[in-house]
Each structure stands twice: as structure tokens, then as C-alpha cells.
Amino acid sequence: MNSYRIDEQQVQKSQFETMPRLFKYLLKYKGRIAFVFVLMAVGTAVDLVNPLLNEIAIDKYIMLKNVPGLLRIIAVSVVINVLAVLAIKMRMLIMAKLSNKVIQDLRQQLYEHIQKLDLAFFDSRPSGKILARIIGDTNSLKDIIENAVTTLIPNMVTVVSVMVIMFIKNWKLALAALCTLPFLIVGVFVISVMSEKHWKAKRQKSSNLNAFINEDLSGIKIIQSFRAEQETDKTFRELIWADRKEFMKAVTWCDGYFSWIDICWSVGTMSLYLVGIKFLGIDNVSIGTYVAFGAYVGMFWQPIMNLSNFYNQFVNAATGAERIFEIIDTEAKIVDKEGAEPMPPIDGDVQFKDVTFGYDEEVDVLKHVNFDVHAGETIALVGPTGAGKSTIVNLVSRFYDVKDGALLIDGKDIRDVTLESLRTQMGIMTQDNYIFSGTIRENIMYGKLDATEEEMLAAARAVHADDFIQKLEKGYDTPLTARGGELSNGQRQLVAFARTMLSAPRILILDEATSSIDTKTELLVQAGIASMLKGRTSFVIAHRLSTIQNADRIFVIDKGGIVESGTPAELMAKKGAYYKLRQAQFA
């Protein structure tokens, strides 16, 4: 699933199950919704009264040449229609504001939930597909929420009311006018099934396209370096064509609504006049009644036409809502268990007790790992790529839970303490530390949002980041774009070091943290690293073995476990796995 080339699995839920859940978000604003219903009732009532006023005007005043009576009914019609227009405008304004507010609430809930999901969720899908749900899918819901009140309910009320009025006035004419209704229902059912299928497929293709664009722009430097623009352009054309193809299929089926309704409308109108003139006779039905029935036929079919257009939006929005609620319903695997307590201030004892773990249920990366780390120790993890070094530190940070066994910190199983209290006492440095858009000061302060200026400066000086920052034109107020493109790799690492230093972690994890720093800069920052390590339990992953000579112990990770451990001197004397790694690196 973690590819723009693979369609996401369709959510197998009925749109009539999903949409009521969406409309529940309106209940938060039920006072304003009630007022909108009042305004809607005013507009709908005026629409229903207008044909009756026309009938009275023709039969009672025009036919009898009663000018004063005609003027009175015209005045009444003008007044009530002006009120109806004002009610409609106010209703649309209120619903426009409410729909935007509901979208804001839904997007906020979705974003907050995504932030709580574990890394396994993000491992399984590209960030572009997640972005498509936060932005594109939620945007698609705005019109449907607004039109549900401004279009759906008024038109449904109008259709039912018109049918009642027509049958009360003349049931024979009503049957003639509505004789095509059964055919309409059958046609709408077939079209709705097919259009829903293609709207869902269209959402998948749009998600794939969004994921590709996100991936392509993130790797634009690599693409340009290898002159792969034509290949990526070809892939883009394929994805955009697939998106367009599904869109055209969905629209083609949806357009069938209007054609089918037009046919039913035309046949029903002809049937009305045929029955009225041929079978009932012109003498049995007044001209005013004919005119009123003609207006009511239009008032019956036009809302159905509007409802068919609304249904196109409805199917498209239902697909988006399904995708949103699928993520909201996704339960995080790494959560606080019931009764979890805050982690007390960490001393730093870490114990792996027969730990087994695998990212895949069938493949174990770590197998029955056992070790004890004492508070304040610096442990270096070395070994071949894919051996499980990063897995060990990910388990310590509880980004994943062990499959079997237990991981203890200060004698407490980390599954028994709250995530927030655990992770706030940890500092993690990787070879690709993310730099956020904002100033250098804001990026460092991210480590401790309530830190003072003095604390921030002290952290930067400790890792020698202050040296290069002060030489910049705007110093700590230098603005950075996302990923810190204005800085060198080494400078970005130093800013990240200062950020971690400011957080004052009790357990420190350095995952290839100095890989982007040149040798000269590395020598400058070693003192800063030493001050970071002092008094803290630290796990250092390094392929450059020269950077871990001051470690208290080295664990050589391979074949799912620790194949060798000891001080650097002990392992060199042993001439085992570590000795061979070092000899190979310095050969």
C-alpha cells in the first residue's frame, strides 16, 4: 500500500451509513440549524402558494375582469416573494458559514488523530495519500454539508408537498402527471450504483496522483541528478490519465440522471394534457387549474433535477467521507493502556528481557534479546545494515511494542507508563533531523517551548552551533524554509543537536547523528556530544567506528541479536566480530 502505484483498498461502507455520521457534526450548531429550518419553511411555503395564487388570479379575477381583486393578489404575491428571497439569501449565508466551520472541526479532529497514530501507520502509506485525505477529501465535503440544508431538505419537502396538493386538487390529473415516476426510480437506482463505483475509483486515482507528486517533489534533486525527468513525466501522464479516465466514467453515468429525468418529465407533462383534454374534457377542468397543474408539474420535476445534481455531489462526498472516517476509525497500536501511570524522572537503567520483535508478523528482526544498561552508560550499537540497531532504539522510545518479552526502564515496563511522560524524557537524533520552516531560534526552541533565551543560547554553545549562527546576517533570527535548505548538512545537524540539548533528555539516542558533519566540524562538536552524554544513558548507532571510542560498551548486532559486547579495548583484544568490522573499515 505504501506506493503511488497501488490503489488503496475501497472502504466497504454504504453511503447512507457514512453520511448521517457526517451530518452529526452539524448538531453542535443545532440552534442556528433550527433558524435555518424556519427560513427554509418560509421559502418553501411561498413556492407552494404561488401556483394557487395564479389559479385564483386567472379563475376569480382575470376571467371575471376584476381589476381591483387582481391588483390585491399581485400585491400579496410581491410581498411574500420578497420575503422568500430574503429568507433564502439569509439561509444560504448562514449555511455557508456553518459548512466551513464543520469542515474546520472535522479536519482538526482528523489531524489530531493522525498525530496520535503509531509509525506502523505511516510506514504503510505515502505521506501524499494522507495529505489527500486531510486536504482534498475534507474539501469535497463542504458543498454537500451546505447543500444538505439549502438544497436537499427544501427540494424533498417541495416534491412531497406538490404531490399531496396535486392529488387533493385532482387525483386523475395527478396520476397522469406522475405516471413516469416508477421508471424514474428504476433508472436512478441503476445510475447511482454505477456512478458510486466510479467516484470511489476516481478518489483512489486522485490519491495515487497526489502521492506521486509529493514523492516526486521531495526527490527532485535525485531526479535531476540522474536526468530522470522524462521518466517521471511519463509516470505523471499515466497517473493523471487514469484519474481523468475514472472521472469521465463517473461524470458520464451522473449525466445520465439529467437525460433520464428530462424524458420522464416530458412524458409526464404530455400525459397530463392528454388526459386532461382527451378524457376529462376542457369543460371539467378550469384554465386556472390547468395552469396551476402545469406549474406544479414543473415544481415536481425541477426539484428532482436538483436532487439528482445533489446526488452527484452526495456520492462524491460520501466517498471522501468514507476515506476520512476510515482514518479516524483506525486505532493506534501504541497507546496508553488503561491504568497507565506517568513515568517518574528517569535514572536511566534499561533492560531487555527476552525481547522478540518484527515489523512483519512472520519475520522477526530481533530474537530473544537480553541485555542490561546501567544509568549513565553510553552504549554503542554497531553491525551490518538491517541487523536491528535502529529497531532497538525504536523499541526503547516505544515507537513500536515488543512482540514477546519485556522492555524495562528503571524496573518499569514501558507499556505500563504513559507515552507522553516517557518520550518527554528522551532525546532522539538521526542523520536526517527535520528542520521546520521558521527561524533558527524557533527550531532550537522546539526542544523546549518554554525555554528562556539564556537556556537556548547555552544549548547552542554546548554543541558549537553558536559559532556559525552568529556569523549569519540575522543570527538566530535567520529564516529557514522546510528542511533548512539554506544551511549545509553539517549546519542543519548542529541546529538539531542544539534542539536536542535544550530538551535535556534523560535517555539520549544518536542514530548516525554525526554522519552529515565533516571531520573538522565533528572534532568541534565532540565536546558538545560529550556534555550531552554526561550523566545520561545513551544509545549511539554509528557506522563510523572512530566516533564511538569513548563508549562504555559496544554491542555488535547481527542475525537478530547481540553477537558480541564489551568495551572497545576488550572487543579489539578479542579479535571477533567488532575487530573484523574495524579492520575492514580502516583497511
Side-chain angles (χ1 to χ4, degrees):
M1 188 175 178
N2 191 9
S3 171
Y4 60 81
R5 301 180 185 275
I6 302 174
D7 289 343
E8 298 168 281
Q9 291 183 350
Q10 291 190 8
V11 183
Q12 300 300 322
K13 285 189 177 181
S14 167
Q15 54 193 261
F16 297 104
E17 176 184 353
T18 301
M19 297 312 286
R21 181 176 175 183
L22 174 64
F23 293 136
K24 285 181 180 179
Y25 285 81
L26 286 170
L27 296 178
K28 182 179 177 181
Y29 309 99
K30 49 183 175 289
R32 276 175 278 183
I33 293 295
F35 182 57
V36 168
F37 282 155
V38 172
L39 297 174
M40 178 196 70
V42 172
T44 304
V46 171
D47 287 340
L48 294 172
V49 168
N50 278 331
L52 296 177
L53 293 178
N54 292 336
E55 181 182 10
I56 294 171
I58 292 171
D59 290 344
K60 301 295 183 181
Y61 301 115
I62 295 177
M63 297 298 293
L64 300 178
K65 299 181 180 181
N66 185 344
V67 176
L70 179 61
L71 293 176
R72 286 195 299 272
I73 202 165
I74 290 175
V76 171
S77 179
V78 169
V79 171
I80 64 174
N81 277 281
V82 168
L83 291 175
V85 169
L86 293 176
I88 291 171
K89 294 294 183 184
M90 187 177 296
R91 180 185 75 196
M92 293 178 68
L93 178 62
I94 293 173
M95 283 309 303
K97 292 181 179 179
L98 280 183
S99 62
N100 277 287
K101 184 61 178 171
V102 168
I103 292 301
Q104 179 183 333
D105 294 343
L106 183 60
R107 182 174 285 142
Q108 184 69 39
Q109 180 187 359
L110 176 62
Y111 183 73
E112 289 177 356
H113 182 72
I114 286 175
Q115 289 196 106
K116 296 176 183 177
L117 294 175
D118 47 89
L119 292 184
F121 171 84
F122 298 97
D123 291 340
S124 66
R125 65 198 73 202
S127 57
K129 291 190 176 185
I130 300 173
L131 184 65
R133 303 203 186 196
I134 298 175
I135 304 299
D137 289 338
T138 50
N139 281 341
S140 71
L141 304 181
K142 178 182 176 297
D143 289 339
I144 199 71
I145 294 172
E146 182 177 343
N147 291 337
V149 177
T150 59
T151 300
L152 175 63
I153 297 176
N155 280 289
M156 290 183 67
V157 171
T158 298
V159 167
V160 174
S161 300
V162 165
M163 289 180 63
V164 172
I165 293 173
M166 290 172 70
F167 274 99
I168 290 175
K169 291 189 68 64
N170 192 311
W171 67 270
K172 294 180 181 179
L173 288 179
L175 284 176
L178 305 179
C179 65
T180 56
L181 192 57
F183 300 99
L184 173 71
I185 294 172
V186 173
V188 165
F189 174 76
V190 174
I191 294 171
S192 65
V193 170
M194 295 305 298
S195 63
E196 180 181 6
K197 171 186 174 183
H198 289 296
W199 277 123
K200 286 186 175 182
K202 199 273 179 193
R203 281 282 173 195
Q204 291 178 330
K205 302 305 180 185
S206 296
S207 183
N208 292 345
L209 178 62
N210 200 78
F212 171 77
I213 294 172
N214 182 272
E215 182 177 312
D216 187 65
L217 296 180
S218 298
I220 191 65
K221 185 176 181 180
I222 302 299
I223 291 170
Q224 292 180 348
S225 298
F226 289 94
R227 305 300 301 159
E229 292 91 342
Q230 290 185 348
E231 182 64 29
T232 55
D233 185 61
K234 177 184 176 182
T235 304
F236 180 78
R237 286 198 302 270
E238 291 173 354
L239 292 172
I240 204 169
W241 176 254
D243 180 65
R244 178 183 179 275
K245 184 179 178 182
E246 289 300 335
F247 174 76
M248 292 306 299
K249 287 181 180 179
V251 169
T252 300
W253 276 102
C254 287
D255 285 347
Y257 279 117
F258 304 108
S259 300
W260 190 243
I261 291 172
D262 277 335
I263 293 172
C264 293
W265 188 344
S266 300
V267 173
T269 302
M270 289 187 293
S271 176
L272 166 68
Y273 292 114
L274 178 64
V275 170
I277 296 173
K278 182 76 175 176
F279 298 105
L280 297 183
I282 194 68
D283 296 330
N284 294 329
V285 183
S286 69
I287 295 177
T289 300
Y290 272 124
V291 171
F293 255 88
Y296 278 126
V297 169
M299 287 182 64
F300 177 82
W301 289 106
Q302 185 59 53
I304 290 181
M305 186 74 79
N306 295 340
L307 288 172
S308 67
N309 186 44
F310 173 83
Y311 188 73
N312 292 340
Q313 296 178 342
F314 180 84
V315 173
N316 189 21
T319 304
E322 286 174 358
R323 288 159 53 82
I324 290 170
F325 289 133
E326 182 209 359
I327 290 187
I328 291 177
D329 293 340
T330 299
E331 296 183 1
K333 297 178 181 178
I334 310 300
V335 295
D336 295 338
K337 76 175 191 179
E338 188 175 349
E341 299 179 352
M343 183 74 181
I346 291 175
D347 291 327
D349 290 323
V350 178
Q351 184 179 17
F352 272 54
K353 297 180 65 175
D354 200 33
V355 168
T356 296
F357 173 79
Y359 298 99
D360 189 316
E361 286 293 329
E362 298 179 0
V363 180
D364 292 332
V365 178
L366 300 178
K367 304 172 184 177
H368 307 289
V369 175
N370 292 276
F371 65 78
D372 291 297
V373 175
H374 304 299
E377 269 195 298
T378 296
I379 303 297
L381 305 176
V382 301
T385 300
K389 302 183 296 296
S390 294
T391 300
I392 288 176
V393 296
N394 282 336
L395 292 176
V396 173
S397 305
R398 208 190 164 202
F399 287 125
Y400 302 90
D401 272 338
V402 299
K403 180 178 177 181
D404 290 309
L407 197 166
L408 310 179
I409 294 180
D410 293 346
K412 290 182 176 292
D413 192 316
I414 60 174
R415 290 170 293 190
D416 295 333
V417 300
T418 61
L419 279 170
E420 182 180 4
S421 65
L422 176 68
R423 290 181 182 165
T424 52
Q425 300 189 66
M426 292 192 175
I428 303 172
M429 283 283 301
T430 68
Q431 59 184 333
D432 185 27
N433 273 283
Y434 196 88
I435 299 296
F436 297 93
S437 57
T439 65
I440 291 178
R441 172 182 278 101
E442 289 170 338
N443 269 277
I444 296 176
M445 294 286 283
Y446 207 82
K448 184 182 178 184
L449 298 177
D450 59 349
T452 64
E453 181 79 2
E454 291 73 20
E455 289 175 325
M456 185 273 295
L457 291 173
R461 290 174 185 140
V463 296
H464 298 278
D466 183 73
D467 297 342
F468 88 84
I469 296 174
Q470 294 290 3
K471 294 176 183 178
L472 299 174
E473 183 179 351
K474 295 184 179 180
Y476 284 88
D477 294 317
T478 300
L480 303 175
T481 56
R483 297 189 179 276
E486 299 82 356
L487 304 177
S488 69
N489 287 340
Q491 289 172 334
R492 287 197 295 270
Q493 287 295 89
L494 290 174
V495 170
F497 264 75
R499 180 169 61 198
T500 303
M501 187 69 162
L502 184 60
S503 68
R506 299 304 307 154
I507 294 180
L508 181 64
I509 294 170
L510 304 180
D511 188 350
E512 284 296 315
T514 60
S515 62
S516 298
I517 300 177
D518 58 74
T519 304
K520 181 180 178 181
T521 306
E522 183 181 336
L523 293 174
L524 290 174
V525 86
Q526 285 300 326
I529 294 177
S531 64
M532 292 176 69
L533 299 179
K534 187 176 181 180
R536 297 183 174 95
T537 301
S538 305
F539 292 89
V540 181
I541 299 176
H543 288 295
R544 288 160 63 178
L545 302 183
S546 61
T547 64
I548 58 171
Q549 293 310 297
N550 295 324
D552 294 307
R553 282 189 289 165
I554 296 174
F555 291 170
V556 181
I557 312 299
D558 197 8
K559 299 178 181 178
I562 300 174
V563 296
E564 196 173 66
S565 67
T567 66
E570 288 172 347
L571 294 184
M572 286 299 293
K574 200 174 187 179
K575 293 190 177 183
Y578 175 75
Y579 176 83
K580 292 178 182 178
L581 284 173
R582 188 171 175 81
Q583 289 298 103
Q585 188 169 114
F586 289 97

